[in-house]
Amino acid sequence: MTSRALLTVTGVDRPGVTARLFAALAEVGGDLVPVEVVDVEQVVVHGQLVLGVVVGTRPAEGSRPGEEARFLAALGRLAAEVGRASGVQVQVESVCDAGRDAAPAGRSHHVIVLGRPVPPEAVAGAAAAIAGIGGNIDAIRRLSDYPVTSFELTVSGAEATGLRSALASVAATTGADIAVEQVGLTRRSKRLIVLDVDSTLVRGEVIDELAARAGRAAEVARITAAAMNGELDFAESLRARVAALAGLPVEVLDEVREHLVLTPGARTLIRTLKRLGFRCGIVSGGFTQITDPLAEQLGLDFAAANTLEVADGRLTGGLVGEIVDRAGKAHALVRFAEQHGIPLEQTVAVGDGANDLDMLGLAGLGIAFNAKPYVREQAHTALNQPYLDAVLQVLGFTREEVLDAVPTSSSR
């Protein structure tokens, strides 16, 4: 019969604790029977070490009765010696064979809790919701402390749909964002990101700014809101809004572009992902006269948008070429992924409006960013933080990895 034991080491972290413990385990194995390391987990929280080690031994043929008791006794002596020598506490307990190899139902998932700050009730609520559907939290780590605080929980024994449903109410009542992603290689294999522009990459809606200069702000704002909420066909609403711009001098486009305000964290997100090897671009229901210079300014790899018709130095109120609407955004995502040889499951899309839904659903990960309720309910996950670089934590990148991607002063 196999014997197994759990050794739990706690105390102030210092160099050599782990090495001393495993060296002692090697000596125990030499005195008795071969010892194998079954599982190891270690974490240091503000200088405090928690190290768990499961070791096992399979008695050789002809072993004497009571071998397991002697094994545990030897581990007890080891724990006392390592504790005295290292200034830590080492506890030993037998691990029951029953059920230890049973795999939990369902795939494992990452649950990311984000906030500024993260209230205790958000973590408590998430933990209770996970337990309520039969899930188990296997590990927790902090991903970031700035600009948002975020924690990643690794959860087993629960399905994605059940997790998202159970955690949605926790997010709604606590104000924290809670995202769910399946554990696996595809999470960290994402290689292309597509961002919506208006109210995602930049604050506000460009067409509303143009309409204000045409004296039609209230009219166009109503149409924009209805379109973004999915109440109007986007192509139809776009034509109606563009018609209201007829007669504006083309110089107004430059004026609006110069006054664009990027969403906080936009530069950090793009800079970090590009240094990590991502292809980055924008797909907009707005206008190429705005988005093309913006893409060049940010060093993006691709851009797609509508083109305003201009005649005699003024906007005609019409469009040139195909309209980039809800379906057009999804087609652009496919086109850019194919151009760069990247499978769709390795793509990310971020947007806030109903015209982004096809693109969000088609991408490997679709993120609704400060989106309308209609959009949040249908996206893979939602972020309601004001910082666009919080997308990095949803992708599993830690604050340290983000800082490592920041160019040094000599490379700027």
Side-chain angles (χ1 to χ4, degrees), residues 305-396:
N306 299 294
T307 300
L308 292 166
E309 184 179 54
V310 178
D312 300 324
R314 293 184 178 275
L315 303 186
T316 68
L319 295 165
V320 178
E322 294 184 7
I323 289 181
V324 179
D325 56 5
R326 177 168 169 168
K329 285 192 170 188
H331 293 155
L333 169 63
V334 172
R335 183 170 72 252
F336 293 134
E338 289 177 347
Q339 286 176 0
H340 295 288
I342 297 173
L344 281 175
E345 59 266 24
Q346 294 182 348
T347 66
V348 181
V350 185
D352 74 300
N355 63 323
D356 296 313
L357 279 172
D358 288 2
M359 176 177 75
L360 297 180
L362 198 58
L365 175 64
I367 302 174
F369 180 74
N370 289 311
K372 288 71 179 172
Y374 176 78
V375 179
R376 289 200 303 268
E377 292 167 3
Q378 298 187 54
H380 297 142
T381 194
L383 279 175
N384 295 308
Q385 304 301 320
Y387 307 101
L388 194 56
D389 52 342
V391 168
L392 294 168
Q393 276 70 67
V394 176
L395 293 174

Side-chain angles (χ1 to χ4, degrees), residues 9 11-15 17-18 41-52 140-142:
V9 182
V12 177
D13 186 39
R14 62 194 70 191
V17 175
T18 304
E41 287 209 29
Q42 177 174 315
V43 64
V44 177
V45 181
H46 288 280
Q48 294 294 313
L49 169 70
V50 179
L51 167 62
I140 302 176
R141 65 167 179 156
R142 187 181 72 178

Side-chain angles (χ1 to χ4, degrees), residues 170-215:
V170 178
T173 56
T174 64
D177 285 337
I178 305 179
V180 177
E181 282 196 77
Q182 187 170 289
V183 171
L185 293 176
T186 56
R187 186 191 189 200
R188 293 295 291 265
S189 68
K190 302 290 191 300
R191 289 294 176 264
L192 182 146
I193 187 168
V194 170
L195 300 160
D196 173 44
V197 177
D198 294 347
S199 298
T200 299
L201 182 65
V202 304
R203 289 178 164 177
E205 298 283 332
V206 167
I207 197 165
D208 291 347
E209 295 295 325
L210 293 172
R213 286 160 173 78

